[in-house]
Amino acid sequence: MRLIGFSTGLLYTKESMVEHSKATRVLAYICAVILLPVYVSGPIAFILISGKRLSNADASTVFILAALVIGITYLCGKYFFLMVRFLRSLKTKMTYDDQGIALYKGSETKRYSWNDLKASREYASCQIFCLMDSSKTHLFSIWEYASGYREFRQKMYEEVGI
C-alpha cells in the first residue's frame, strides 16, 4: 500500500511499491566498484596471457583458447552492460496495481500497462529483472534485494506470465 497526501488528509491506494533502499544502493555501488574493472580487464588479461601461448600451440589448443577468449569476452561484456544499465535505474521507484506499473524518476512519472511489459526479461545469474516495453526499450532494472521485489514478481507472473 502506498500513502498519498492530499490537502484534506491522507488516502490509501492499492498500489504496491518497489524501490532500492539506501543500503541496497550502497551495496550495488560497492559491487560495481569491484566488478566493473573485472569485466573490463578480465578479457584483456586473458587475451594477453593466451596470446603468449599461441606461438607454441597446436591447432586444437588455438581453437580452445580462441573459444575461451570469445566466451569470456561475451560474458564480461554482457554483465558489464547489465550492471551499467542497472546502476542507471537505481534511484527509480516503481508502483504497480491491477492496471500496470508507474515509474517515478525525480519529478517524472511514466505509466505502462501489463501488456506493455511482455518483453521484460529475468537475468537469474545477475539476480536482476529488467522491465522492457513492447519495443524492447529498457525501463527499469530491479535487483532482487529491492523492497517489494518478491510481491512484484508474483504479480508480474500472474499478469504477464514472466
Side-chain angles (χ1 to χ4, degrees):
M1 293 262 236
R2 190 171 83 130
L3 188 63
I4 300 176
F6 289 96
S7 60
T8 59
L10 298 174
L11 173 70
Y12 286 97
T13 65
K14 290 189 176 191
E15 289 182 331
S16 299
M17 182 171 274
V18 176
E19 67 178 318
H20 297 99
S21 68
K22 287 182 183 181
T24 303
R25 288 191 301 234
V26 168
L27 182 60
Y29 291 130
I30 290 170
C31 288
V33 166
I34 295 168
L35 293 175
L36 288 177
V38 171
Y39 294 152
V40 171
S41 64
I44 294 169
F46 197 78
I47 290 169
L48 293 174
I49 292 169
S50 299
K52 293 180 181 180
R53 306 280 185 232
L54 289 177
S55 61
N56 300 335
D58 59 353
S60 62
T61 305
V62 170
F63 178 75
I64 291 170
L65 285 175
L68 284 172
V69 165
I70 291 169
I72 288 173
T73 303
Y74 169 77
L75 287 175
C76 287
K78 174 183 170 181
Y79 292 139
F80 180 86
F81 172 73
L82 288 171
M83 181 168 282
V84 169
R85 192 165 69 172
F86 165 68
L87 291 172
R88 290 178 52 210
S89 67
L90 250 180
K91 293 184 179 180
T92 303
K93 296 178 183 179
M94 179 188 70
T95 59
Y96 61 95
D97 57 21
D98 291 335
Q99 283 72 46
I101 68 164
L103 296 174
Y104 304 93
K105 187 168 187 172
S107 62
E108 186 180 352
T109 301
K110 293 183 180 179
R111 290 203 54 85
Y112 301 90
S113 71
W114 290 112
N115 284 334
D116 293 338
L117 304 173
K118 289 187 177 188
S120 299
R121 287 193 63 191
E122 180 174 22
Y123 296 94
S125 60
C126 298
Q127 302 171 328
I128 290 177
F129 186 77
C130 293
L131 291 173
M132 294 186 220
D133 65 13
S134 54
S135 64
K136 296 193 178 185
T137 301
H138 178 261
L139 304 172
F140 181 53
S141 292
I142 312 165
W143 198 10
E144 70 178 37
Y145 297 112
S147 62
Y149 174 80
R150 294 194 196 302
E151 296 83 4
F152 170 73
R153 289 297 286 125
Q154 180 62 38
K155 182 70 171 173
M156 184 78 177
Y157 182 76
E158 292 168 4
E159 296 291 336
V160 183
I162 299 174

